[in-house]
Amino acid sequence: MRSRTIAFLVGISLFQTLPTLPPASAAVGVLLALGATLGMLSRASHASVTLVAALSAGFAWSWGAAALRLGEGLSADLQGVDLVVVGQIVDLPRREGRRLRFRLQPERLHLPDGRSVAAPGGLRLAWYGRYPPLTPGERWRLRVRLKRPHGFMSPGGFDFERWLFREGIRATGYVRDDPRNRRLASTAWSLDRVRDETAARLAGALEGRSTTGLLQALAVGDRRGVSDRQWQVLSATGTTHLMAISGLHIGLVAGLAFLAARWLWSRCCRCTLRLPAARAAAVAALVAAALYAALAGFSVPTQRALVMTAVALAALLGGRHAAAGRTLAVALAAVLLLDPLAVLSLGFWLSFAAVAVILFASANRIGRTGRLAGWIRVQGVVTLGLTPLLLVGFGEASLSAPLVNLLAVPWVGLLVVPPLLAGTILLPVSMTLAEPLLLIAEAAMAALWWVLERSAAVGPMTAHAPLWLLLPAIPATLLLLAPRGVPGRWLASLGLLPLLLYRSPGITPGAAEVTVLDVGQGLSAVVRTARHTLVFDTGPRFSASFDAGEAVLVPFLRASGVERVDRLVLSHGDDDHVGGLDALRRVYTVGEILGSEVGDLPCNGRWQWDGVTFEFLHPISDARLGGNNDSCVLVVRAAGRSVLLTGDIEVEAERQLLQRERGKLRADVVVAPHHGSATSSSEPFIAAVAPRWVLYSTGYRNRFGFPNEEVAARYRRAGAEALDTAEAGAIRVRLDSGGRIDVTGFREVAGHYWNGP
């Protein structure tokens, strides 16, 4: 059972590595190859045949699920068109300042010409300005504008398109103002509505408390109230799992329900004659666990915990013993059969890996340990076992997590969750009875939070390692967790060293790497030499809690192994170029800050780093033009090749450059001035630069229409090959010390079948 389930998982996981979805004709080829393989193996052991069959079944199962979800996408010709959609509000709407974010499960789409077409899968919509209250379960008629799923694509960054695909969201968009937008029906009952109303009651009972959002997350899986600062503390201390309704909490609820039901049932003689107390308690425990998992929206950790609980309780009802390893395998198989795309979530891997390493480390042990020693050992085992996954998945692992979790896990499980759930259940019945219990839970959480905030000061272990390093790290970790009598345990260090010592590939002296990041409608570029790093602009700020610095620039620098920013250039003061400044300075030590409108020093001068020449060509202090035309212009030269970074200069600045610096403008690669606007990239300027490549830093389907079609045509006539971050993702330009140049889009090298072209 266990080996076949693992083979099924491997087949599903292998499919997720594909850059594109194979065509239907390839499916026939796979089936024929499978048949031939099974035929050859038929003379071998039965185990070999079943393992190959399980792996192939996993690949095919994942293929079918992916093809089905991709088939639910939005037609390209419906992007940016006013459409009328009828659908039901699902999940929990989230208020973000003047915007309401919500999910809609559409039924039909109505086109402007009156025709009706099949709707795509789930929609993620925003309603700006004066929006009405939305309740999960309601049906609405809305006028919307939609686009296909699209997100930033830069090394080290979050794959938003992967998350949308995993969640079944096949289009995003916003609600248009229309007097015909209206609520069609209000559902009397839905699970999400119960969660929403319960969260609102908790907020009312705990009004003004700083930990209210944390308690809502624990009670009903509602994380909307957890602030960015709180998430940072949880991440730094390795306790984010406590804010999910996890296996620990499901087990706790099931255990408490089992004890309470057995005690009550045993008080009734007639009841025990009909059904033994233990079996009645098992049924009650399963119902309680299922209800609590439902409050979390049946997330992957709760699915795993619920299935394991169900298997264990079913064994109790049947009078059998359920082996822990087999129970975990059944849970894994059930989750994969229900949703093979669950493997796209790192939470899936962490959830199952945590239980698996505990079972592995506990097997074949001789002797008993005390409860405290056992608990300490479990925390150490989980920390060691999950560290490789955390380093590869997040690029860091908390150093304080083992000690913090020794306190936090039992504290939350025993002092926070029981009074919180009891108070939550009593809220609709009596505020008088519920409030004292909720205040006990709040006080316990506040005391724990005091500890977590101080523990967050301990810096994490960082190692931005590629996925393939898990191949030696996982068996090495298992070897470390094996019993002491297993020979060769010291060899585990050899498997872990590549992961712990990994550093991003360096840059040789005389070479340079220029990366224009995918930051949407804005600009941020990073220039790296052998021992130095320059950042040119930091991208836009999108809201008070979201900017390109935190979402794109800082993750890229971390993934590149950058420890310090030697020089920061802010080409000018527009928000789409300086919006990520605060996020960069929070994380990195920044040397000199240069800029025409902001910064400590003006943009002028020429210098060398590691055999690479940097020179500012614009502006000059005695000939300022104002606005965009005072943007800093920087040329980077390495081994006879060059890249020109132009900020937002327009035609007036281009004329000035042609008069003063015509001989220095020639470049192999130019980042198009002002994102390719019609007010820049004049023909004389393009002729002087004579680029082989032109790079546009634009937002997907941006409202300005950048790059302008006439500007793009000018570059084409000049023989320049174009790449746009909106389509190519981050664009990396490598100038090597031998004079060779390579220009690559990140979507081309790292895209998967769920990513847009």
Side-chain angles (χ1 to χ4, degrees):
M1 171 67 184
R2 281 173 288 191
S3 58
R4 291 192 296 273
T5 302
I6 292 174
F8 188 65
L9 171 64
V10 169
I12 288 175
S13 302
L14 285 175
F15 180 85
Q16 307 309 327
T17 65
L18 297 179
T20 58
L21 188 73
S25 57
V28 178
V30 170
L31 291 175
L32 292 175
L34 173 61
T37 303
L38 292 177
M40 289 186 293
L41 288 173
S42 60
R43 298 177 183 178
S45 66
H46 175 71
S48 300
V49 176
T50 56
L51 287 179
V52 171
L55 187 146
S56 303
F59 192 90
W61 187 242
S62 192
W63 193 340
L68 185 64
R69 186 153 295 177
L70 288 175
E72 297 174 342
L74 180 72
S75 175
D77 59 350
L78 296 182
Q79 295 187 104
V81 177
D82 278 6
L83 304 168
V84 174
V85 61
V86 174
Q88 186 176 47
I89 307 293
V90 295
D91 208 355
L92 306 179
R94 183 184 183 93
R95 292 165 182 82
E96 302 171 346
R98 57 181 295 271
R99 173 179 66 185
L100 180 69
R101 180 84 67 185
F102 64 100
R103 290 175 61 173
L104 188 81
Q105 191 60 43
E107 300 166 6
R108 297 290 290 177
L109 283 182
H110 302 282
L111 308 185
D113 60 9
R115 290 184 297 122
S116 179
V117 297
L123 305 180
R124 187 173 189 256
L125 301 173
W127 199 328
Y128 294 90
R130 298 181 61 183
Y131 49 77
L134 299 182
T135 302
E138 293 177 339
R139 290 182 68 250
W140 278 78
R141 176 199 182 277
L142 300 169
R143 185 161 70 103
V144 298
R145 280 194 180 175
L146 303 175
K147 65 180 180 181
R148 289 177 164 182
H150 193 88
F152 303 140
M153 280 287 286
S154 291
F158 177 66
D159 191 343
F160 183 58
E161 293 172 33
R162 170 177 170 160
W163 180 82
L164 291 174
F165 182 77
R166 163 75 187 90
E167 294 294 312
I169 298 170
R170 303 306 300 135
T172 64
Y174 62 95
V175 178
R176 301 272 287 165
D177 288 335
D178 191 325
R180 291 170 294 181
N181 290 337
R182 67 182 187 276
R183 181 185 293 106
L184 298 178
S186 179
T187 303
W189 186 92
S190 76
L191 180 58
D192 287 329
R193 183 166 185 169
V194 172
R195 296 173 64 207
D196 191 51
E197 291 175 350
T198 304
R201 289 194 188 100
L202 282 171
L206 298 170
E207 187 175 2
R209 310 277 178 165
S210 61
T211 61
T212 298
L214 301 171
L215 296 176
Q216 288 174 314
L218 278 171
V220 293
D222 177 10
R223 304 186 188 185
R224 294 175 296 179
V226 182
S227 68
D228 292 337
R229 169 58 185 162
Q230 288 172 327
W231 280 121
Q232 291 169 5
V233 170
L234 292 167
S235 177
T237 55
T239 52
T240 53
H241 63 94
L242 294 178
M243 292 307 107
I245 298 180
S246 64
L248 173 69
H249 305 134
I250 295 289
L252 176 66
V253 168
L256 291 175
F258 182 88
L259 293 175
R262 186 173 63 178
W263 184 83
L264 289 172
W265 196 266
S266 63
R267 304 276 79 78
C268 174
C269 296
R270 183 176 299 177
C271 298
T272 55
L273 291 175
R274 291 179 176 271
L275 184 68
R279 294 188 178 184
V283 174
L286 181 58
V287 171
L291 290 175
Y292 193 37
L295 287 177
F298 289 111
S299 61
V300 170
T302 56
Q303 290 178 27
R304 187 262 307 158
L306 183 59
V307 173
M308 290 188 69
T309 302
V311 172
L313 293 174
L316 178 62
L317 287 170
R320 297 179 180 179
H321 172 70
R326 184 178 180 85
T327 301
L328 181 63
V330 170
L332 176 60
V335 170
L336 293 175
L337 287 171
L338 288 171
D339 182 12
L341 301 180
V343 298
L344 296 178
S345 166
L346 187 58
F348 165 88
W349 295 98
L350 294 175
S351 173
F352 280 98
V355 179
V357 296
I358 292 173
L359 296 180
F360 177 81
S362 303
N364 301 316
R365 302 280 176 174
I366 300 174
R368 294 185 177 182
T369 57
R371 290 186 179 181
L372 179 59
W375 177 247
I376 293 174
R377 188 172 179 279
V378 164
Q379 292 306 312
V381 162
V382 171
T383 300
L384 178 61
L386 296 188
T387 293
L389 283 175
L390 292 170
L391 289 177
V392 171
F394 293 113
E396 62 182 33
S398 172
L399 291 174
S400 62
L403 290 176
V404 170
N405 277 283
L406 280 176
L407 169 68
V409 172
W411 189 279
V412 170
L414 299 176
L415 300 181
V416 178
V417 172
L420 174 63
L421 292 183
T424 302
I425 293 170
L426 290 172
L427 261 178
V429 180
S430 170
M431 176 64 76
T432 304
L433 295 175
E435 190 172 20
L437 293 168
L438 295 176
L439 292 177
I440 291 172
E442 195 281 330
M445 178 57 76
L448 176 63
W449 195 253
W450 184 88
V451 176
L452 295 182
E453 285 188 312
R454 279 140 190 84
S455 302
V458 180
M461 179 197 307
T462 60
H464 294 271
L467 184 63
W468 65 265
L469 281 178
L470 285 178
L471 295 177
I474 289 177
T477 302
L478 295 177
L479 188 58
L480 276 180
L481 296 175
R484 291 183 183 177
V486 175
R489 292 179 74 219
W490 62 273
L491 293 173
S493 59
L494 299 179
L496 291 174
L497 280 177
L499 176 65
L500 299 177
L501 299 179
Y502 176 82
R503 294 294 179 268
S504 299
I507 298 172
T508 59
E513 182 181 275
V514 182
T515 305
V516 180
L517 299 175
D518 180 9
V519 294
Q521 187 56 43
L523 177 64
S524 181
V526 177
V527 185
R528 297 171 58 222
T529 65
R531 294 185 299 274
H532 294 85
T533 299
L534 178 143
V535 173
F536 190 97
D537 287 341
T538 61
R541 174 180 290 277
F542 301 100
S543 69
S545 60
F546 183 64
D547 62 73
E550 183 176 9
V552 180
L553 176 56
V554 168
F556 172 79
L557 293 173
R558 283 176 168 166
S560 301
V562 173
E563 298 178 355
R564 182 180 188 274
V565 175
D566 300 286
R567 193 163 285 182
L568 170 63
V569 178
L570 300 173
S571 64
H572 63 303
D574 284 2
D575 184 69
D576 60 331
H577 292 251
V578 301
L581 175 60
D582 291 342
L584 175 65
R585 297 181 74 173
R586 276 197 306 270
V587 179
Y588 277 95
T589 299
V590 178
E592 294 178 325
I593 302 180
L594 295 78
S596 62
E597 299 175 350
V598 292
D600 304 326
L601 298 168
C603 291
N604 57 51
R606 183 176 183 272
W607 73 96
Q608 274 200 351
W609 281 342
D610 310 316
V612 179
T613 302
F614 297 76
E615 184 176 6
F616 283 113
L617 305 182
H618 186 79
I620 56 175
S621 57
D622 58 349
R624 290 298 181 96
L625 299 172
N628 286 341
N629 281 303
D630 281 342
S631 293
C632 302
V633 176
L634 178 69
V635 62
V636 181
R637 302 187 185 95
R641 301 295 183 182
S642 57
V643 177
L644 187 64
L645 301 167
T646 58
D648 273 0
I649 61 169
E650 297 179 338
V651 173
E652 292 84 352
E654 292 175 3
R655 289 198 194 102
Q656 198 176 85
L657 278 165
L658 290 169
Q659 292 170 3
R660 293 193 335 264
E661 309 286 3
R662 179 183 289 269
K664 297 180 179 179
L665 285 175
R666 192 172 186 85
D668 298 278
V669 180
V670 61
V671 178
H674 201 191
H675 318 287
S677 77
T679 59
S680 60
S681 296
S682 61
E683 289 194 5
F685 177 80
I686 295 174
V689 177
R692 293 170 58 190
W693 287 275
V694 57
L695 312 183
Y696 301 105
S697 181
T698 69
Y700 178 68
R701 299 185 59 83
N702 66 86
R703 61 191 177 93
F704 307 103
F706 293 158
N708 176 267
E709 186 53 45
E710 176 56 32
V711 167
R714 289 177 204 159
Y715 281 108
R716 285 196 297 270
R717 288 194 296 270
E721 183 177 345
L723 284 177
D724 191 335
T725 58
E727 298 175 353
I731 304 168
R732 183 177 58 200
V733 181
R734 283 180 172 166
L735 312 175
D736 74 16
S737 55
R740 291 182 295 274
I741 185 169
D742 178 64
V743 181
T744 311
F746 188 60
R747 284 185 184 271
E748 178 184 347
V749 298
H752 290 80
Y753 70 85
W754 58 79
N755 294 121

